[in-house]
Short mmCIF file of all heavy atoms in Angstrom, two decimals:
data_model
loop_
_atom_site.label_atom_id
_atom_site.label_comp_id
_atom_site.label_asym_id
_atom_site.label_seq_id
_atom_site.Cartn_x
_atom_site.Cartn_y
_atom_site.Cartn_z
N ALA A 446 51.11 -5.34 23.71
CA ALA A 446 49.85 -4.49 23.62
C ALA A 446 49.98 -3.27 24.46
O ALA A 446 50.67 -3.22 25.48
CB ALA A 446 48.63 -5.28 24.00
N SER A 447 49.44 -2.13 23.93
CA SER A 447 49.45 -0.89 24.71
C SER A 447 48.06 -0.62 25.34
O SER A 447 47.04 -0.83 24.65
CB SER A 447 49.88 0.27 23.80
OG SER A 447 49.79 1.47 24.47
N SER A 448 48.05 -0.17 26.56
CA SER A 448 46.79 0.03 27.24
C SER A 448 46.15 1.34 26.72
O SER A 448 44.96 1.53 26.86
CB SER A 448 46.97 0.15 28.72
OG SER A 448 47.92 1.20 29.05
N SER A 449 46.89 2.20 26.10
CA SER A 449 46.42 3.49 25.64
C SER A 449 46.42 3.52 24.10
O SER A 449 47.41 3.23 23.50
CB SER A 449 47.22 4.68 26.16
OG SER A 449 46.84 5.89 25.60
N LYS A 450 45.25 3.82 23.53
CA LYS A 450 45.16 3.95 22.05
C LYS A 450 44.84 5.39 21.65
O LYS A 450 44.09 5.64 20.69
CB LYS A 450 44.09 3.02 21.53
CG LYS A 450 44.42 1.56 21.78
CD LYS A 450 43.37 0.61 21.13
CE LYS A 450 43.79 -0.79 21.23
NZ LYS A 450 43.75 -1.28 22.63
N SER A 451 45.36 6.38 22.39
CA SER A 451 45.13 7.76 22.09
C SER A 451 46.36 8.60 22.32
O SER A 451 47.21 8.24 23.12
CB SER A 451 43.95 8.30 22.92
OG SER A 451 44.32 8.33 24.28
N LEU A 452 46.46 9.72 21.67
CA LEU A 452 47.50 10.75 21.89
C LEU A 452 46.83 12.06 22.25
O LEU A 452 45.80 12.43 21.64
CB LEU A 452 48.33 10.89 20.63
CG LEU A 452 49.28 9.67 20.32
CD1 LEU A 452 50.14 10.02 19.06
CD2 LEU A 452 50.20 9.48 21.50
N GLN A 453 47.40 12.77 23.12
CA GLN A 453 46.88 14.02 23.61
C GLN A 453 47.32 15.18 22.75
O GLN A 453 48.49 15.37 22.43
CB GLN A 453 47.33 14.29 25.08
CG GLN A 453 46.76 15.58 25.72
CD GLN A 453 45.29 15.43 26.01
OE1 GLN A 453 44.82 14.39 26.56
NE2 GLN A 453 44.52 16.47 25.68
N LEU A 454 46.31 15.98 22.32
CA LEU A 454 46.57 17.24 21.66
C LEU A 454 46.18 18.31 22.64
O LEU A 454 45.62 18.12 23.70
CB LEU A 454 45.83 17.33 20.35
CG LEU A 454 45.97 16.27 19.33
CD1 LEU A 454 45.21 16.66 18.02
CD2 LEU A 454 47.43 16.05 19.04
N SER A 455 46.41 19.60 22.26
CA SER A 455 45.92 20.65 23.03
C SER A 455 44.43 20.78 22.88
O SER A 455 43.96 21.14 21.73
CB SER A 455 46.66 22.02 22.67
OG SER A 455 46.33 23.02 23.56
N GLY A 456 43.61 20.42 23.86
CA GLY A 456 42.24 20.57 23.81
C GLY A 456 41.50 19.30 23.44
O GLY A 456 40.22 19.35 23.49
N LYS A 457 42.20 18.23 23.06
CA LYS A 457 41.45 17.09 22.66
C LYS A 457 42.36 15.87 22.63
O LYS A 457 43.63 16.04 22.75
CB LYS A 457 40.74 17.22 21.27
CG LYS A 457 41.74 17.40 20.14
CD LYS A 457 41.01 17.35 18.79
CE LYS A 457 40.65 15.88 18.39
NZ LYS A 457 40.11 15.78 17.04
N GLU A 458 41.81 14.67 22.50
CA GLU A 458 42.62 13.49 22.26
C GLU A 458 42.31 12.87 20.92
O GLU A 458 41.26 12.99 20.44
CB GLU A 458 42.35 12.42 23.32
CG GLU A 458 42.92 12.73 24.75
CD GLU A 458 42.78 11.58 25.69
OE1 GLU A 458 42.02 10.58 25.36
OE2 GLU A 458 43.44 11.58 26.74
N VAL A 459 43.29 12.26 20.29
CA VAL A 459 43.15 11.60 19.03
C VAL A 459 43.10 10.11 19.25
O VAL A 459 44.04 9.55 19.91
CB VAL A 459 44.32 11.86 18.04
CG1 VAL A 459 44.13 11.13 16.71
CG2 VAL A 459 44.40 13.42 17.76
N GLU A 460 42.03 9.49 18.93
CA GLU A 460 41.86 8.04 19.19
C GLU A 460 42.30 7.26 17.95
O GLU A 460 42.05 7.68 16.79
CB GLU A 460 40.32 7.73 19.47
CG GLU A 460 39.84 8.35 20.73
CD GLU A 460 40.44 7.65 21.96
OE1 GLU A 460 40.90 6.54 21.89
OE2 GLU A 460 40.38 8.28 23.08
N PHE A 461 43.04 6.10 18.19
CA PHE A 461 43.49 5.29 17.14
C PHE A 461 42.80 3.87 17.28
O PHE A 461 42.36 3.59 18.33
CB PHE A 461 44.99 5.11 17.08
CG PHE A 461 45.72 6.34 16.73
CD1 PHE A 461 46.00 7.34 17.69
CD2 PHE A 461 46.19 6.53 15.46
CE1 PHE A 461 46.70 8.50 17.39
CE2 PHE A 461 46.87 7.70 15.12
CZ PHE A 461 47.16 8.67 16.08
N ASP A 462 42.80 3.16 16.16
CA ASP A 462 42.19 1.80 16.23
C ASP A 462 43.06 0.86 16.91
O ASP A 462 42.59 -0.11 17.62
CB ASP A 462 41.88 1.31 14.78
CG ASP A 462 40.89 2.16 14.01
OD1 ASP A 462 39.99 2.70 14.74
OD2 ASP A 462 40.98 2.28 12.83
N ASN A 463 44.38 1.04 16.81
CA ASN A 463 45.34 0.05 17.33
C ASN A 463 46.51 0.75 17.95
O ASN A 463 46.86 1.86 17.57
CB ASN A 463 45.88 -0.89 16.23
CG ASN A 463 44.75 -1.47 15.40
OD1 ASN A 463 44.13 -2.44 15.79
ND2 ASN A 463 44.56 -0.92 14.17
N ALA A 464 47.14 0.06 18.91
CA ALA A 464 48.39 0.65 19.50
C ALA A 464 49.17 -0.54 20.10
O ALA A 464 48.71 -1.48 20.73
CB ALA A 464 48.07 1.63 20.58
N VAL A 465 50.48 -0.49 19.88
CA VAL A 465 51.46 -1.38 20.50
C VAL A 465 52.64 -0.65 21.00
O VAL A 465 52.83 0.45 20.72
CB VAL A 465 51.91 -2.50 19.40
CG1 VAL A 465 50.78 -3.36 18.95
CG2 VAL A 465 52.66 -1.79 18.27
N LYS A 466 53.38 -1.32 21.92
CA LYS A 466 54.66 -0.76 22.37
C LYS A 466 55.83 -1.57 21.93
O LYS A 466 55.84 -2.81 22.06
CB LYS A 466 54.60 -0.68 23.90
CG LYS A 466 53.91 0.59 24.44
CD LYS A 466 54.47 1.01 25.81
CE LYS A 466 53.97 2.37 26.18
NZ LYS A 466 54.63 2.90 27.34
N ILE A 467 56.84 -0.93 21.36
CA ILE A 467 58.00 -1.58 20.87
C ILE A 467 59.22 -0.94 21.63
O ILE A 467 59.63 0.14 21.39
CB ILE A 467 58.22 -1.35 19.41
CG1 ILE A 467 56.95 -1.80 18.65
CG2 ILE A 467 59.44 -2.04 18.85
CD1 ILE A 467 56.89 -1.40 17.23
N LEU A 468 59.68 -1.70 22.65
CA LEU A 468 60.81 -1.29 23.46
C LEU A 468 60.56 0.07 24.05
O LEU A 468 61.45 0.94 23.98
CB LEU A 468 62.11 -1.32 22.67
CG LEU A 468 62.52 -2.73 22.14
CD1 LEU A 468 63.83 -2.58 21.35
CD2 LEU A 468 62.72 -3.67 23.30
N GLY A 469 59.37 0.33 24.49
CA GLY A 469 59.08 1.62 25.18
C GLY A 469 58.49 2.70 24.23
O GLY A 469 58.09 3.74 24.78
N VAL A 470 58.46 2.45 22.96
CA VAL A 470 57.96 3.46 22.01
C VAL A 470 56.59 2.93 21.54
O VAL A 470 56.39 1.85 21.12
CB VAL A 470 58.88 3.60 20.80
CG1 VAL A 470 58.32 4.59 19.76
CG2 VAL A 470 60.24 4.07 21.26
N SER A 471 55.61 3.85 21.65
CA SER A 471 54.25 3.52 21.24
C SER A 471 54.09 3.78 19.73
O SER A 471 54.49 4.83 19.27
CB SER A 471 53.20 4.37 21.99
OG SER A 471 53.24 4.15 23.38
N PHE A 472 53.54 2.78 19.07
CA PHE A 472 53.11 2.99 17.66
C PHE A 472 51.64 2.87 17.59
O PHE A 472 51.04 1.81 18.06
CB PHE A 472 53.83 1.90 16.73
CG PHE A 472 53.29 1.88 15.35
CD1 PHE A 472 53.32 3.00 14.56
CD2 PHE A 472 52.65 0.77 14.82
CE1 PHE A 472 52.82 2.95 13.30
CE2 PHE A 472 52.14 0.69 13.59
CZ PHE A 472 52.24 1.79 12.76
#
Side-chain angles (χ1 to χ4, degrees):
S447 175
S448 58
S449 174
K450 295 184 175 67
S451 65
L452 289 179
Q453 181 72 44
L454 305 186
S455 185
K457 64 171 288 187
E458 285 189 349
V459 179
E460 296 289 340
F461 291 84
D462 297 328
N463 311 283
V465 296
K466 277 209 167 186
I467 304 169
L468 299 178
V470 178
S471 295
F472 169 60

